[in-house]
Amino acid sequence: MQFIDTHVHLNFKTFQGELNDLSQRWREAGVTRLVHSCVEPGEFPEMQAIADRFPEISLAVGLHPLDAGKWTERTADRIVTSAKSDGRVVAIGETGLDFYKADDRAWQEQVFLAQLKIAQQLDKPVIIHCRDAAGRMQQLLQQFWSDEGKVKGVMHCWSGTPEETQWFLDLGFHISFSGIITFKNAKAVHESARMVPSDRLLIETDCPFLAPVPFRGKRNEPAYVATIAQHLAQLRNVSLERIAARTTENANQLFELSPVPCRQS
């Protein structure tokens, strides 16, 4: 079986000096592709260096909503230039809204809309972070669809209710589930995971965060995406093989992933 981890942050310091061991474990677990998301454009060179070492890694570039204060007149140009300069860039993000304890909601919205325009301009999917902001996110996307046109993408590390999930399915988005679906009390997420059409499902670790049960409380890593897939299969009452095949196909289609170059020994 093969899995694609559609959201990782391997450049974080917690992984420093351990990437070779991590890659051995993710390969042993059947992880054949990874999409490395971006918190802010300044880390993009670090991400490129990691992708140089591990050809199964594709890249995204964008600005996280919790870093919206870093947005300047040059940020959009930097994102566009980075995306155009490296063929491994398959998405814009992560971007979105995070209203948990936020006091800059209006500015987050402006920064998010600017990145939606970049994704549309470059014809790339957008990786959306949405925390405590589903209602406003739906409004902004509907307005953007009306004014500017549609953008494809994924609601990453999804933790919304079934009603909220349907909002974003209706807008054409994929839904990506993380280790949260393994948490016993995440009942709404469990229901959302059961209702998403099979052609919109994705899986991710969002490592180093949100390690799945039985690793909860420890540092997360890409190999654990297989555990997430197993829980998703159980929730949907289908085989692990079916979840692996379908989520891999969906990720390949959404991100237009090219075949992985042969690894050099």
Side-chain angles (χ1 to χ4, degrees), residues 7-118:
H7 200 104
V8 302
H9 297 279
L10 298 177
N11 63 308
F12 284 15
K13 289 184 179 180
T14 185
F15 293 127
Q16 191 169 4
E18 298 185 46
L19 290 180
N20 286 334
D21 290 340
L22 255 66
S23 68
Q24 181 175 347
R25 290 196 291 272
W26 81 54
R27 289 167 180 171
E28 290 173 350
V31 180
T32 58
R33 299 299 302 257
L34 308 90
V35 178
H36 198 306
S37 200
C38 183
V39 173
E40 57 96 6
E43 67 180 357
F44 189 65
E46 297 175 358
M47 294 163 50
Q48 288 177 301
I50 293 172
D52 288 343
R53 293 173 57 187
F54 306 103
E56 59 264 54
I57 293 177
S58 297
L59 305 172
V61 59
L63 184 68
H64 193 286
L66 292 180
D67 289 294
K70 297 180 180 180
W71 185 271
T72 70
E73 295 179 356
R74 298 185 181 89
T75 307
D77 288 340
R78 190 170 188 181
I79 292 173
V80 171
T81 299
S82 296
K84 287 184 174 181
S85 68
D86 194 321
R88 296 171 295 188
V89 174
V90 297
I92 301 301
E94 64 185 286
T95 180
L97 302 176
D98 193 319
F99 288 172
Y100 181 71
K101 297 183 179 180
D103 57 5
D104 62 345
R105 295 187 177 193
W107 183 242
Q108 281 191 33
E109 292 175 11
Q110 291 186 49
V111 172
F112 172 56
L113 290 171
Q115 292 179 84
L116 280 182
K117 290 180 180 179
I118 292 172

Side-chain angles (χ1 to χ4, degrees), residues 132-208:
D132 291 354
R136 185 57 178 152
M137 176 66 72
Q138 181 201 29
Q139 292 172 353
L140 288 178
L141 289 172
Q142 286 180 326
Q143 190 62 52
F144 189 90
W145 271 211
S146 176
D147 295 344
E148 307 287 344
K150 294 183 178 181
V151 176
K152 59 187 176 181
V154 56
M155 306 303 294
H156 111 85
C157 194
W158 185 241
S159 60
T161 67
E163 179 184 12
E164 293 166 345
T165 301
Q166 191 61 54
W167 294 347
F168 299 107
L169 289 171
D170 290 344
L171 286 164
F173 279 90
H174 286 64
I175 309 293
S176 182
F177 292 99
S178 67
I180 293 173
I181 66 167
T182 71
F183 301 170
K184 182 178 180 180
N185 294 327
K187 303 299 185 182
V189 182
H190 297 165
E191 289 304 313
S192 293
R194 293 187 182 102
M195 65 173 283
V196 174
S198 61
D199 63 348
R200 302 281 197 88
L201 277 175
L202 295 174
I203 51 176
E204 63 171 90
T205 57
D206 196 18
C207 65

